[in-house]
Amino acid sequence: MNVSTATVSAPTTSTASASIPPQPPRPTSQSSMSQFLQKAITPAKQNSVDEELAKMIARDFQPFSIVEDKGFRSYTRALNPMYALPSRKTLSQKIFPGLYDKERALLLERVKKATGVCLTTDCWTSRTTTSYMSVTCHFIERYKMVSCLLDCFEFSDRHTSENLAEQLLKVAKEWDVENKVVCCVSDNAANITKAIKTLKWTHHPCLAHTINLIVRDALKVMKPTVDKVKAIVEFLHRSATATEKLKSTQGQMGMPELKLKQECVTRWNSTFHMLKRILDSKDAVISTLAVINAHVDPLCQEEWEELQEACTVLEPFEQVTVEIGADSYVTASKMLILCKGLQSVTADHQTRITMGKVKKPPFLTQDSRSWPSLKIVRWMKLFRELVQQQQQDPASQVHCQGAKREKRQQNQNRNHKHLLFGDSLRNEQLGKVQGIQ
């Protein structure tokens, strides 16, 4: 009996011991309250975050009042409850001036190391009728082009050549570049042109601005048709019903849903984009205007052909404008070859029309001088001759020592390539030149 009892009770003892959970190890040290509290931000960290906040406002063109927005304050509190957002007054009177002085000192050292600089300047009036003037500096640093805004200030004086020259010289002296200006680029206005020549600086007109004047003048030939397009675009933008109908019609025709673009009077490209976009949506626009019985003058077939021909002529000018509008590489060396290319393209197009290889557009009258291509060719030829004369002017050779050294280096490199590749390289270069001409 005793053995049987012991045998039966053994599993009971085993089950009881297995039901006891294992005890967790005791901590070696006691937790302190400081482990659960947020550490205070140091003054150095506070200043660093303040600077980053100022840079964000400057880069993204945010208003100073963003630091008072409830959503922004809640967001920064979620990131770090211990960070204290600065006020608008602190931003505008302390943080930004300090950051400006710091960045200006660093930029001044970089500009001083440049052996030569190119300046670009322009004046404009804001929507509040306040006049401004800006001066931008361009130079080569470590084989890369660097562009920096030297100054942008309110200019309330009369825009005479004397006042403009005075302001330009003042900015140049502040940045210690008055004796290093290789060239100054501006628009074709007589006052700024005279101001730059008064300072004995080499002046080059802005090619983009010149193209804008050329194309604007040529587009006057087809002003009635362009005005019709503007009226149609403005109507479709004003009417929500017409806009929705245009969108649904584009979908039914299997066309992409494209919004018509409006013109900007200061940018000829916008006129080109407006004409090109309405051509891309031609069938949908015609159908929409007919269905809603719009109170605008529709375009006839001849006017649609006129738009198509105009876009064909203006396409190369759009490409050149985009090419010379780049700000990450030097574009002055492309100016002559681009002008020559535009001359060749427009002259070739005019020849094909007069020879009957292309359908004669309705706005090409008996007086061939009214054709935009001829106007553009004459303008571009005149502009190219002026540029060539300016390059041959002895006064423009004062700042060309660096260019001459670069030319000698290029000749050495070219001779080296000819030793390696022989006449094949020369034939290739001649082919490129003949293709351009």
Side-chain angles (χ1 to χ4, degrees):
M1 292 295 293
N2 294 337
V3 175
S4 177
T5 305
T7 303
V8 174
S9 62
T12 306
T13 305
S14 176
T15 303
S17 62
S19 62
I20 301 174
Q23 297 293 328
R26 294 183 177 181
T28 56
S29 60
Q30 186 177 2
S31 300
S32 62
M33 293 297 293
S34 60
Q35 295 179 356
F36 302 96
L37 296 177
Q38 185 76 29
K39 292 183 180 180
I41 189 171
T42 62
K45 184 65 175 178
Q46 175 76 31
N47 294 335
S48 176
V49 177
D50 288 346
E51 283 193 3
E52 291 301 321
L53 172 65
K55 291 178 181 179
M56 182 271 290
I57 292 175
R59 287 170 182 157
D60 299 339
F61 299 100
Q62 297 291 340
F64 290 161
S65 60
I66 191 174
V67 297
E68 298 177 351
D69 294 344
K70 293 182 180 180
F72 186 75
R73 296 183 69 87
S74 177
Y75 175 71
T76 54
R77 193 180 302 111
L79 292 176
N80 190 344
M82 303 306 294
Y83 172 66
L85 268 175
S87 63
R88 293 176 59 178
K89 186 176 181 180
T90 303
L91 270 174
S92 61
Q93 297 185 5
K94 181 180 179 181
I95 298 177
F96 266 100
L99 184 61
Y100 170 80
D101 293 337
K102 178 181 176 181
E103 293 295 329
R104 188 183 188 280
L106 294 174
L107 184 59
L108 183 60
E109 290 299 320
R110 296 171 62 188
V111 174
K112 284 183 177 180
K113 294 179 182 179
T115 56
V117 301
C118 174
L119 300 182
T120 54
T121 182
D122 195 13
C123 298
W124 73 95
T125 303
S126 67
R127 293 181 178 178
T128 59
T129 66
T130 303
S131 181
Y132 292 93
M133 181 177 182
S134 65
V135 181
T136 307
C137 178
H138 313 269
F139 57 94
I140 302 297
E141 182 182 59
R142 297 178 182 177
Y143 303 102
K144 292 184 179 180
M145 192 180 79
V146 178
S147 299
C148 55
L149 179 66
L150 299 186
D151 208 344
C152 179
F153 50 91
E154 185 176 338
F155 189 54
S156 56
D157 296 337
R158 292 182 59 209
H159 289 196
T160 62
S161 59
E162 293 78 11
N163 291 338
L164 292 172
E166 180 182 354
Q167 293 298 327
L168 280 174
L169 185 59
K170 178 182 177 182
V171 174
K173 286 184 176 180
E174 287 179 356
W175 290 86
D176 197 21
V177 295
E178 68 272 18
N179 296 322
K180 298 192 294 184
V181 178
V182 177
C183 174
C184 188
V185 181
S186 70
D187 58 22
N188 297 271
N191 53 356
I192 188 64
T193 301
K194 184 178 178 181
I196 295 172
K197 292 183 178 180
T198 300
L199 297 174
K200 307 299 182 183
W201 293 345
T202 301
H203 173 257
H204 274 293
C206 175
L207 180 57
H209 183 261
T210 303
I211 290 178
N212 182 66
L213 297 178
I214 292 170
V215 178
R216 282 291 174 195
D217 182 74
L219 285 173
K220 293 178 181 178
V221 178
M222 51 180 299
K223 187 178 183 300
T225 306
V226 174
D227 289 342
K228 273 190 176 183
V229 174
K230 289 170 61 177
I232 293 173
V233 173
E234 290 174 0
F235 170 77
L236 291 174
H237 271 267
R238 286 197 312 266
S239 174
T241 304
T243 302
E244 199 61 33
K245 183 60 180 177
L246 175 63
K247 187 184 299 184
S248 63
T249 304
Q250 289 172 334
Q252 293 171 3
M253 293 183 173
M255 303 169 61
E257 295 183 359
L258 301 175
K259 293 183 178 180
L260 300 184
K261 296 183 177 181
Q262 289 184 300
E263 181 191 38
C264 176
V265 293
T266 58
R267 294 287 184 269
W268 80 265
N269 312 61
S270 62
T271 305
F272 168 74
H273 292 305
M274 178 183 69
L275 302 181
K276 195 171 186 302
R277 177 58 58 88
I278 199 171
L279 279 172
D280 294 338
S281 305
K282 173 184 174 181
D283 294 336
V285 170
I286 294 175
S287 177
T288 300
L289 295 178
V291 170
I292 64 176
N293 194 19
H295 298 289
V296 292
D297 294 333
L299 295 170
C300 63
Q301 182 59 32
E302 291 184 349
E303 288 171 330
W304 283 109
E305 294 176 358
E306 182 179 347
L307 295 181
Q308 184 64 58
E309 192 64 37
C311 287
T312 303
V313 174
L314 295 178
E315 180 73 34
F317 289 86
E318 160 69 7
Q319 296 174 357
V320 170
T321 303
V322 173
E323 180 67 22
I324 62 177
D327 56 0
S328 59
Y329 54 86
V330 179
T331 57
S333 56
K334 301 181 179 183
M335 185 171 61
L336 288 178
I337 194 169
L338 289 176
C339 291
K340 181 67 175 178
L342 288 177
Q343 283 182 293
S344 177
V345 169
T346 51
D348 179 67
H349 189 76
Q350 176 64 20
T351 301
R352 289 189 293 115
I353 291 179
T354 54
M355 296 296 293
K357 297 180 181 180
V358 178
K359 184 178 180 180
K360 185 176 180 181
F363 60 101
L364 181 56
T365 61
Q366 296 298 327
D367 183 9
S368 61
R369 289 175 298 176
S370 64
W371 169 238
S373 290
L374 290 183
K375 286 191 174 183
I376 292 172
V377 169
R378 291 199 302 270
W379 274 78
M380 296 307 298
K381 183 178 180 181
L382 176 61
F383 175 68
R384 185 168 178 267
E385 290 175 353
L386 290 175
V387 174
Q388 288 177 335
Q389 290 176 6
Q390 191 169 23
Q391 287 190 333
Q392 296 171 1
D393 185 3
S396 65
Q397 305 297 327
V398 177
H399 304 286
C400 291
Q401 288 80 4
K404 290 180 180 178
R405 288 195 298 269
E406 183 180 355
K407 184 66 175 179
R408 287 196 297 269
Q409 183 64 36
Q410 290 177 352
N411 291 335
Q412 293 175 1
N413 295 340
R414 188 179 298 107
N415 293 335
H416 179 64
K417 290 181 180 178
H418 278 294
L419 291 176
L420 293 176
F421 302 107
D423 293 337
S424 61
L425 180 63
R426 179 174 60 84
N427 295 334
E428 180 183 355
Q429 291 174 344
L430 289 175
K432 290 181 179 179
V433 172
Q434 292 173 356
I436 294 171
Q437 294 177 347

